[in-house]
Amino acid sequence: MRYVGLALVALFAVTISNAGRAAEPTRFTPLKAEELTPPQKEWADAIAVPPRNAKFINPPYRAYIRNPELAPKLSAMSDYLRWNSSLPARLSEFAILITARQWTAQYEWFAHYPLAMKAGLDPQVANGVRPQTMKDDEAALYDLAMALYRDKKVSDEVYRAAQQKFGERGIMDIIGLIGYYDLVSMTLITMQAEAPNDSVPPLPPLAAK
């Protein structure tokens, strides 16, 4: 009986351990370094350095790497939009969160919510309705993004407000951010990438319009 009891304890411990472990990916499973082709390895090395410091086995990169001709173009676009556009980090991250919210892309939200908070964005952006406390430039960005997502058209009033705050180049930067992170969201949803832990409050279901 003593040995049976020890076996049950061991089985219980294994069960608890497995319950707390994230499910193994079944789509775009991580490649091993020795499996990479020369073009894949070249791109994996390129994204591993600052400011990205990315691992090719993590989302969305482990999906991108399946197409080593497309992957460098995607990361180059991301490099510009995140770090070299006309927008400050506070607004870039706000645009990314708006996109994650529209898709309920939990991994994207998990990755960018801390960056947005560090950049000075108000935490209330998560609730799926228009934030009540926004700076003027945040409101102009939000209204432009929501006109595109919700209305599928941009009124003269929304356009003028965005043009006054960002200029025509800035408007294109916002459209670029939203469009690129639409692609990221679709990739993450297709590969079933979820937040790896609960350190960031998950997105609640988006209310039906």
Side-chain angles (χ1 to χ4, degrees):
M1 289 297 293
R2 175 172 175 269
Y3 295 108
V4 172
L6 289 173
L8 289 173
V9 169
L11 178 61
F12 181 73
V14 170
T15 301
I16 293 297
S17 174
N18 288 337
R21 187 181 303 152
E24 292 296 324
T26 59
R27 299 182 182 182
F28 296 102
T29 54
L31 298 174
K32 297 177 181 178
E34 60 269 23
E35 296 176 319
L36 300 182
T37 65
Q40 287 175 322
K41 186 178 187 307
E42 181 180 1
W43 180 72
D45 291 343
I47 65 170
V49 300
R52 187 173 298 278
N53 299 313
K55 296 180 180 179
F56 71 88
I57 60 174
N58 290 340
Y61 308 112
R62 72 169 191 256
Y64 288 4
I65 203 168
R66 264 41 185 222
N67 188 335
E69 292 184 6
L70 177 60
K73 297 174 176 63
L74 294 178
S75 55
M77 187 173 185
S78 173
D79 288 348
Y80 168 75
L81 292 169
R82 286 190 64 189
W83 297 299
N84 299 299
S85 82
S86 63
L87 304 174
R90 171 177 52 87
L91 294 178
S92 296
E93 294 299 332
F94 191 25
I96 295 169
L97 292 190
I98 291 170
T99 303
R101 169 66 284 182
Q102 291 301 305
W103 289 92
T104 314
Q106 299 288 3
Y107 189 96
E108 189 169 85
W109 184 266
F110 170 87
H112 287 274
Y113 183 87
L115 299 176
M117 298 305 104
K118 183 179 179 180
L121 201 63
D122 193 295
Q124 69 166 293
V125 297
N127 60 13
V129 299
R130 193 178 196 277
Q132 295 179 354
T133 56
M134 288 190 288
K135 298 175 181 177
D136 289 346
D137 55 359
E138 293 168 359
L141 186 154
Y142 181 88
D143 290 342
L144 175 62
M146 294 310 297
L148 292 167
Y149 276 124
R150 182 189 56 216
D151 304 330
K152 308 297 187 290
K153 61 182 180 180
V154 178
S155 69
D156 289 342
E157 179 183 5
V158 169
Y159 179 81
R160 279 195 299 270
Q163 187 179 35
Q164 289 172 1
K165 290 297 179 184
F166 313 118
E168 291 176 334
R169 173 180 174 173
I171 289 175
M172 282 309 305
D173 283 339
I174 293 168
I175 293 171
L177 272 161
I178 293 170
Y180 173 71
Y181 280 92
D182 279 338
L183 182 148
V184 175
S185 297
M186 289 188 284
T187 302
L188 294 170
I189 289 169
T190 300
M191 65 193 302
Q192 297 179 325
E194 296 293 335
N197 58 59
D198 59 1
S199 61
V200 172
L203 284 166
L206 191 61
K209 296 180 178 63

